[in-house]
Amino acid sequence: MLFLYRYTLAVICALLLLCHLGWSLAAQATTPPQACAGCHPKEQARWQISDHAKAMAPATGQTVLGNFNDQRVTYLDQTAHFHYSQNRYRVTLQEGARVTDYPIPYVFGHYPLQQYLIAMPGGKYQVLGFSWDSRPASEGGQRWYHLHQDQSVGIEDRLHWQQPLQNWNGMCADCHSRGLERHYQPQTDRFATRWQSLNLDCLACHTKHDSPPAPAPDRAQRSEATLETCFSCHSLRSPLTDGFTPDTPYLDQFSPQFLLPELYFADGQIKDEVFVYGSYLQSKKHRAGVQCNHCHDSHSQKLTLAANPTCTQCHSAAHYDQPQHHGHARDSEGARCIACHMPERTYMGVDRRRDHQFSIPRPALAAEFGTPNACLDCHPDQSHAWAAAALTRWHGKTPDIRPNERNYLRFQSGQPLDTQAQLAILDDEHLDIMKRATLLLRMSLDTPLIPPERLKAWVNHPEPLLRLAAVLNPLPLTPARIEILAAGLSDRFRAIRVASAQKLLGVPLPAKHQPAFARASEELETAVAINSWRGEGRLTRANNALRLGQLEEAQVQYQAAIRIDPYYSHSYSNLASLYRNTGRAGLAGEILDQGLRANPSAADLMYSKALHLTTQDDSAAAHLWFERAHLQAPANPDYFYAYLLSLEAVGQLDLAHRLLAQWMQNPPVPHPHLQALYDYWRTAPPSLR
């Protein structure tokens, strides 16, 4: 009995201790700034004025910035009525004939705009399309406006606020709340999202007292930990894990986007909403070891000094902060370093963000390659030639860029570039790693000029971005290449392991690679599952099933993609291909018609419809759809090539010749099939044309 008593007492004490620890940990998890402030009051004060501290909050009188005093704003056929009733901030939306009243549980951000979340079925929070412009009235702010005010985004559009691309859980949440896990459930299309702190508090960047490390005096020896902590959110990337921590390498948690033409201009300047990662990795500052917190205070995120003094910490003020360098009057807008070297682009209607590539304005290159010219941001009525002449007056003749840099610009702007020139760019260590990796990702490896030894060198390269790009390149698989790519299954970084598993999925592998493939495949499945709340993720899931021969599962996932993301056109064309390849041509035609009803301007569906009609031996109808696809996307070389062949099929060969000759005078992108067709039509005997 004594033993039982002591045992029971020990269990009770242990339970009490666990309860106490649980309460303490819960309190620490929800209010770390208060726990930290006792020893770090100055850091706490700076954090309170930061964007991190106001990343997200419950909708209260202290946090709501928008005017909810019976305000109405209209966009297309939508009218939003903002009001306060039943002790809640609310919006009554009229969209066409439908009127719905929604309470607003959370505010999202604070400056230069504040957005508002609406709770929807399935644990989803959607970001309302109407936002509050929180800038001062003198700058055009203090008003309601629609995020897509310059384009037509109706209810049947992927950008409509109720569609997956405007879903807070998947698109935004992990960078606005600390310790967030989406907990998406693909089988039911539901979220059970949880977070440890509603906004970004101390533990969002610090997991312990010594992380991330303070800057070392010698920049060459500085750890990358600080940069990678910032890049976790300040980058365009795909998550590989459900939630992330600041003490884990970036490439173990994310797969980044490279400098693709739809995201960046040919010279690497920002185009789409890409944040900072891709730009900064191109900069000389990154190569010199400069960290974010050399310019920005770690806790307030504000600049540590005034604009130009921030730059002259490293760059001589006596040389650079002078009219003879920048060519403008002192204290004018043109005299600011950032005006020329960090040009702005505006996103979300009012959010002006600066390019962190820190490039040098080159008006002549802007004229040649269609890239932005910072000079014209302030002088929009002038020309590239005018700006080039001004720079020549100030600094003399501008030296030309290096041959590999020019060739990179040619490649990125769609001009033809032979294989040896591409290889020279890849080998040029004077070029930044982001440009080299982008080229490797996009270059064609389907050529005998590139021996397997080169691919092996890239897959095993010390630079992880080159390893990742080598694996992601859509190269055709041969036995030699399969053996080389298998090395990526055991890479140090999850991003490369996942990409390798994706590339080798469904490919017979030697027994020695099977254990590594099994482990990497589990990581791949995790990444696919957590991203399957949107059409792209479901499409990947379906395509993976197809590669494994799981036809029924592929069909289920294609259908799920259409159901959850009906205005994502690629799901329809892929499902149609599955139907057609399994002898169900009638269903293929039906699903394409369904897709075109939902996406009437989708060129890929027009092209798929044409291909389908071709398999049904209806050349005349197919020709009309090939023509529609080409007219909808005139720069797409595949659509144009198919359109030319369809013209030949319906007896309009002369028109096909004229159109191809016009295209070849100034091709928007190089295309080997178009070049071959052009050469054939020019040289073949008339009887064979």
Side-chain angles (χ1 to χ4, degrees), residues 213-271:
D218 183 358
R219 286 183 175 169
Q221 301 299 318
R222 182 175 298 107
S223 167
E224 288 284 300
T226 302
L227 274 179
E228 298 213 341
T229 294
C230 301
F231 286 156
S232 292
C233 286
H234 295 270
S235 63
L236 188 62
R237 76 292 193 273
S238 297
L240 302 173
T241 57
D242 193 4
F244 62 91
T245 56
D247 59 347
T248 303
Y250 177 85
L251 290 178
D252 267 345
Q253 305 183 97
F254 307 103
S255 184
Q257 283 286 4
F258 291 87
L259 309 179
L260 304 180
E262 60 268 26
L263 301 176
Y264 295 83
F265 291 98
D267 62 352
Q269 291 190 65
I270 59 175
K271 179 190 295 184

Side-chain angles (χ1 to χ4, degrees), residues 41 70 125 148 188 242 389 420 519 542 669:
D70 195 29
Y125 287 92
H148 304 291
T188 57
D242 193 4
Q420 293 307 313
R519 292 190 295 270
V669 291

Side-chain angles (χ1 to χ4, degrees), residues 243-425:
F244 62 91
T245 56
D247 59 347
T248 303
Y250 177 85
L251 290 178
D252 267 345
Q253 305 183 97
F254 307 103
S255 184
Q257 283 286 4
F258 291 87
L259 309 179
L260 304 180
E262 60 268 26
L263 301 176
Y264 295 83
F265 291 98
D267 62 352
Q269 291 190 65
I270 59 175
K271 179 190 295 184
D272 208 335
E273 191 176 7
V274 292
F275 307 101
V276 175
Y277 174 86
S279 303
Y280 194 70
L281 290 191
Q282 298 177 70
S283 71
K284 292 182 178 179
K285 289 175 173 48
H286 174 249
R287 279 172 277 174
V290 175
Q291 301 280 315
C292 306
N293 56 10
H294 287 112
C295 301
H296 299 273
D297 179 81
S298 298
H299 297 95
S300 70
Q301 289 94 57
K302 314 297 183 187
L303 288 176
T304 53
L305 298 168
N308 281 11
T310 297
C311 303
T312 56
Q313 292 179 96
C314 300
H315 302 279
S316 169
H319 180 79
Y320 292 104
D321 197 5
Q322 302 295 331
Q324 59 264 32
H325 174 73
H326 50 64
H328 293 78
R330 292 185 184 276
D331 300 323
S332 68
E333 180 64 23
R336 303 173 71 201
C337 306
I338 56 177
C340 298
H341 301 291
M342 297 184 71
E344 289 180 324
R345 288 184 73 82
T346 300
Y347 304 96
M348 306 178 78
V350 300
D351 192 1
R352 297 185 298 178
R353 303 179 196 169
R354 294 199 175 272
D355 195 321
H356 282 68
Q357 186 191 23
F358 304 101
S359 58
I360 297 173
R362 294 185 180 274
L365 293 180
E368 182 177 355
F369 295 105
T371 55
N373 174 6
C375 303
L376 303 191
D377 288 349
C378 296
H379 304 279
D381 56 333
Q382 298 293 348
S383 66
H384 296 308
W386 170 86
L391 291 177
T392 300
R393 288 196 307 273
W394 301 339
H395 303 294
K397 181 176 174 56
T398 302
D400 197 6
I401 58 174
R402 297 168 58 251
N404 283 336
E405 292 180 84
R406 178 172 291 279
N407 281 339
Y408 175 83
L409 282 167
R410 290 176 56 202
F411 180 89
Q412 287 291 84
S413 59
Q415 299 179 28
L417 192 66
D418 64 59
T419 302
Q420 293 307 313
Q422 295 179 37
L423 292 175
I425 295 172

Side-chain angles (χ1 to χ4, degrees), residues 54 70 101 147 163 166 169 421 449 464 576 582 689:
K54 303 171 184 177
D70 195 29
D101 184 73
L147 284 176
Q163 296 304 316
Q166 304 303 315
N169 311 68
L449 297 178
T582 52
R689 295 179 187 174

